Amino acid sequence: MTVTVMKWAVVALVLAAFPARAEIAIQNVTSPGGITAWLVEDHNIPFTALEIRFRGGTSLDLPGSRGAVNLMAATLEEGAGALDAQGFAEARDALAAGFGFSAGQDSISVSARFLTENRDAAIDLLRSALIGPRFDEDAVERVKGQILAGLASDAQDPGVLAMRRFDGMAFAGHPYGSAGDGTPDSVAALTRADVLDAHKATMTRDRVYVAAAGDISAAELGPLLDRLLGDLPAVGRQMPAVAGWHLDGGVTVVDYPSPQSVILFGQEGLRLDDPDFFAAFILNEVLGGGRFSARLMTELREKRGLTYGVSSFLAPMDFAQAYMGQMGTANATVAESIALIRQEWQRMAAEGVTAEELAATKTYMTGSYPLRFDGNSEIADILVGLQMDGFPIDYPATRNARVEAVTLDDVKRVAARLFQPDKLHFVVVGQPEGVVAADQHGSEDVPAP
């Protein structure tokens, strides 16, 4: 998943959806060995969800080994301890447990789901994958093949091409500027030694975050954390530097043979801990939050039928901040679409939002109760995201008050600060009519599918 989109998924859950369970009681648990976790107890069902994150992710790839962290995470459950890949899968299934391992630009994610009656055995099996993964040569090569197949598919996906082109320009010289799953050449060159090194460098106690929800008590969770994570290395690889922003306003065209074009647009955004972020989040919801009432949807879809959908999103990452948007349209209407997006960007900068728009957005943000967040798995996932993003443990109880505290004057002031029409950059993948690359980056071609 791309750097901006992946981070946005976490922010959206935290800022837009958590009120559904704002009344839940969160406990701060510290294990005897000093590992901390947030816990929501729910003993109604004999089931527990556990979410673990390691800060750093694919941004910690060494130069020349792009894709190593992603390959490592994808190979964690391909055998551990005395169990080969098939044996590990059979042991997991026999316990009716579920494990998930993935790597993003800013974190490695480990998810576990298990029944209370099988808790100890499930934790022992998960521990073997975290502490003693085998990384057998045949498993590494098999997973490499799967990743290479995915990269070949991505090379023909206009949306992926647009994001990679944008990231490469905006974050040039930083890990964010290249795909975390690597390139065909970099992945093909990876060895088992690279995978072992990535494991040792990234899955360490100094950067771990944990959340649990379900049929487990604080007294039970503490020792479990030490058993599961206590033998990990203490300190990991140094984090990368701040990425910076290296992209000015303009248009970049990537020629791609298709009757439609994908348009990705963006500028620099705000940090998640910026005092103006809540006001910015409300502004974005009005502009392009994805609902049919958003301004971009109204202007481009409802009034003119230029697209099935257009959206924008704030994407604060650990080492950079972006404000992005995306849409697809026919090649003949790309120029009109770009002009309208620029117009709405300028309008927001100059005027902000109306009192009616602000009130309606607050009502939506504080009153929505998405059913998908009613469950132990969803709660644990959100709690671990809250920790990583630096929110206090009482955030669920105070979040709606923070939204309500944003005034019309606040959003007008922040709109003038956030929206920079002259800095807005468009990457168009397709064969747009009447659109000429108007920046220093120019145009490029990609092979026909």
Side-chain angles (χ1 to χ4, degrees), residues 347-434:
R347 176 186 167 202
M348 191 67 84
E351 302 173 7
V353 305
T354 67
E356 292 76 17
E357 286 174 320
L358 177 59
T361 302
K362 284 183 176 182
T363 298
Y364 168 73
M365 290 179 63
T366 60
S368 59
Y369 296 101
L371 294 178
R372 58 179 173 155
F373 302 105
D374 270 343
N376 292 336
S377 297
E378 292 80 4
I379 292 171
D381 190 54
I382 293 169
L383 290 185
V384 80
L386 284 169
Q387 293 177 71
M388 290 199 71
D389 287 332
F391 286 97
I393 200 168
D394 68 346
Y395 175 82
T398 63
R399 180 268 187 192
N400 278 0
R402 298 183 189 210
V403 173
E404 294 289 4
V406 177
T407 68
L408 193 60
D409 287 341
D410 290 333
V411 293
K412 184 175 180 61
R413 173 183 56 80
V414 175
R417 174 193 174 195
L418 174 64
F419 289 90
Q420 303 175 54
D422 60 326
K423 299 292 186 181
L424 189 60
H425 195 98
F426 294 81
V427 172
V428 182
V429 178
Q431 295 179 329
E433 299 175 15

Side-chain angles (χ1 to χ4, degrees), residues 47-124:
F47 160 82
T48 300
L50 186 67
E51 290 290 335
I52 304 167
R53 300 287 185 276
F54 296 90
R55 188 182 296 279
T58 63
S59 295
L60 295 176
D61 277 335
L62 290 173
S65 297
R66 196 61 167 139
V69 172
N70 179 66
L71 176 60
M72 179 276 297
T75 316
L76 278 172
E77 63 179 338
E78 297 293 325
L83 300 174
D84 62 10
Q86 182 176 346
F88 186 91
E90 291 173 349
R92 179 200 60 214
D93 293 346
L95 295 170
F99 301 146
F101 306 91
S102 63
Q105 293 280 26
D106 287 332
S107 66
I108 296 170
S109 300
V110 178
S111 302
R113 313 286 182 263
F114 45 83
L115 298 172
T116 302
E117 63 182 280
N118 295 333
R119 179 197 299 157
D120 289 342
I123 290 300
D124 286 343

Side-chain angles (χ1 to χ4, degrees), residues 3-5 7-8 11 55 106 163 166-167 169-171 174 176 240-247 265-275 277 280 313-325 345 389 417-418 420 423:
V3 78
T4 50
V5 171
K7 186 63 177 183
W8 165 244
V11 174
R55 188 182 296 279
D106 287 332
M163 185 62 76
F166 194 102
D167 287 349
M169 295 185 296
F171 309 121
H174 190 273
Y176 284 173
V242 172
W245 187 269
H246 307 289
L247 189 57
F265 52 95
Q267 59 156 80
E268 191 169 11
L270 298 180
R271 289 177 54 88
L272 189 59
D273 59 1
D274 190 297
F277 194 87
F313 50 94
L314 290 157
M317 298 161 276
D318 284 356
F319 306 106
Q321 303 80 46
Y323 187 14
M324 306 293 299
W345 222 261
D389 287 332
R417 174 193 174 195
L418 174 64
Q420 303 175 54
K423 299 292 186 181

Side-chain angles (χ1 to χ4, degrees), residues 104-150:
Q105 293 280 26
D106 287 332
S107 66
I108 296 170
S109 300
V110 178
S111 302
R113 313 286 182 263
F114 45 83
L115 298 172
T116 302
E117 63 182 280
N118 295 333
R119 179 197 299 157
D120 289 342
I123 290 300
D124 286 343
L125 185 62
L126 179 60
R127 180 188 182 279
S128 71
L130 301 182
I131 304 297
R134 289 167 59 120
F135 297 134
D136 293 332
E137 291 281 4
D138 61 336
V140 171
E141 291 303 313
R142 181 173 62 253
V143 176
K144 279 174 62 174
Q146 295 167 357
I147 293 172
L148 288 169

Side-chain angles (χ1 to χ4, degrees), residues 211-226:
D215 187 27
I216 189 169
S217 68
E220 293 167 327
L221 180 60
L224 180 151
L225 295 175
D226 285 343

